Amino acid sequence: MSILVALTGGGCGVVATDQIRTEDDGSQRFDFPKVIRLPNRVLAGFAGLLEVDGKPVSLSLAELAGRDSKTIGDLAVRCREFFCRAIERHPKGELEHRRLDIELLGPERVGGLRPVTIRAITFRAKQGRVHGEVETFRHACAGDESAHRAIERDVAQFPDGGAPQELRAAADALIRKGIDAAGPHEWFPEKKSCGGEPVVLGFPH
């Protein structure tokens, strides 16, 4: 499932993930970051599904961000609508296991500078339908349940106003702590669901 963290400070922010990728045969790679720079000064991180409806999540996010969105909230709603429809095209028997978490970080007005905010989008299936929920945070984490539980209090209590280097160091440490606490992979219980070195991207640089 991976682990995902986003933190904001005084006009800056970071998004970080691990680098694990588990293939259909159970083999694992540890060089697959799930955080990207999108058009219009937005960072995005994701955990869970890596492809949806035959297309990489990262590519779908880039295409959605390249369209006309005036605010990061507009972009979050657009992502929610797109991914709900796309995930529902998976076979109905697999929907309950198709989880996706996305965190968008950037200025409230797309292309601006501040205030920097986070929109967290959670996709879960229930009774054959996919539901997407958008929430606004100063700091957020998502992903593997065991990893999430291990760091959620640290994330919630992270002080506001951190400098860029402080945010980077904190995000790196949180991802490492999440990896250490991660539970087994849903389909391959002998493998961990998180792993690899943390990758941290910062806004504005």
Side-chain angles (χ1 to χ4, degrees):
M1 179 70 182
S2 289
I3 184 65
L4 168 62
V5 169
L7 306 172
T8 63
C12 58
V14 295
V15 180
T17 69
D18 65 346
Q19 292 196 73
I20 203 166
R21 177 186 176 111
T22 304
E23 306 292 354
D24 291 342
D25 63 359
S27 62
Q28 292 183 312
R29 293 170 47 188
F30 300 95
D31 60 351
F32 193 85
K34 288 152 289 242
V35 57
I36 56 174
R37 294 189 186 276
L38 299 177
N40 297 317
R41 303 172 64 85
V42 175
L43 299 180
F46 55 97
L49 290 171
L50 302 179
E51 288 90 21
V52 173
D53 201 24
K55 181 184 293 187
V57 169
S58 56
L59 179 57
S60 295
L61 285 169
E63 291 174 350
L64 291 164
R67 300 175 189 172
D68 183 27
S69 295
K70 291 188 167 81
T71 70
I72 197 168
D74 294 340
L75 176 57
V77 170
R78 182 172 289 167
C79 289
R80 180 185 65 192
E81 293 172 349
F82 171 84
F83 283 106
C84 278
R85 292 194 302 268
I87 296 170
E88 281 190 353
R89 287 194 279 272
H90 283 269
K92 294 298 182 185
E94 300 178 5
L95 277 183
E96 300 295 326
H97 304 283
R98 300 298 177 178
R99 299 175 56 193
L100 176 62
D101 295 311
I102 296 173
E103 290 175 2
L104 303 173
L105 181 149
E108 185 62 42
R109 285 198 70 80
V110 169
L113 288 174
R114 58 182 66 188
V116 178
T117 186
I118 296 165
R119 293 294 193 279
I121 319 167
T122 303
F123 299 91
R124 299 291 185 269
K126 187 175 181 180
Q127 296 179 339
R129 298 299 305 274
V130 176
H131 303 274
E133 182 178 3
V134 178
E135 297 180 272
T136 303
F137 294 100
R138 291 284 294 165
H139 315 301
C141 60
D144 173 77
E145 291 181 6
S146 296
H148 180 273
R149 283 196 302 270
I151 66 173
E152 61 180 338
R153 180 175 295 181
D154 295 337
V155 171
Q157 295 177 349
F158 190 79
D160 293 337
Q165 62 272 22
E166 294 171 333
L167 295 179
R168 285 182 175 274
D172 183 279
L174 287 164
I175 292 295
R176 292 181 188 278
K177 184 175 180 178
I179 289 171
D180 288 343
H185 189 277
E186 181 179 14
W187 299 108
F188 305 100
E190 73 281 5
K191 306 284 182 71
K192 290 189 71 171
S193 62
C194 303
E197 288 293 304
V199 174
V200 183
L201 293 185
F203 173 90
H205 304 295

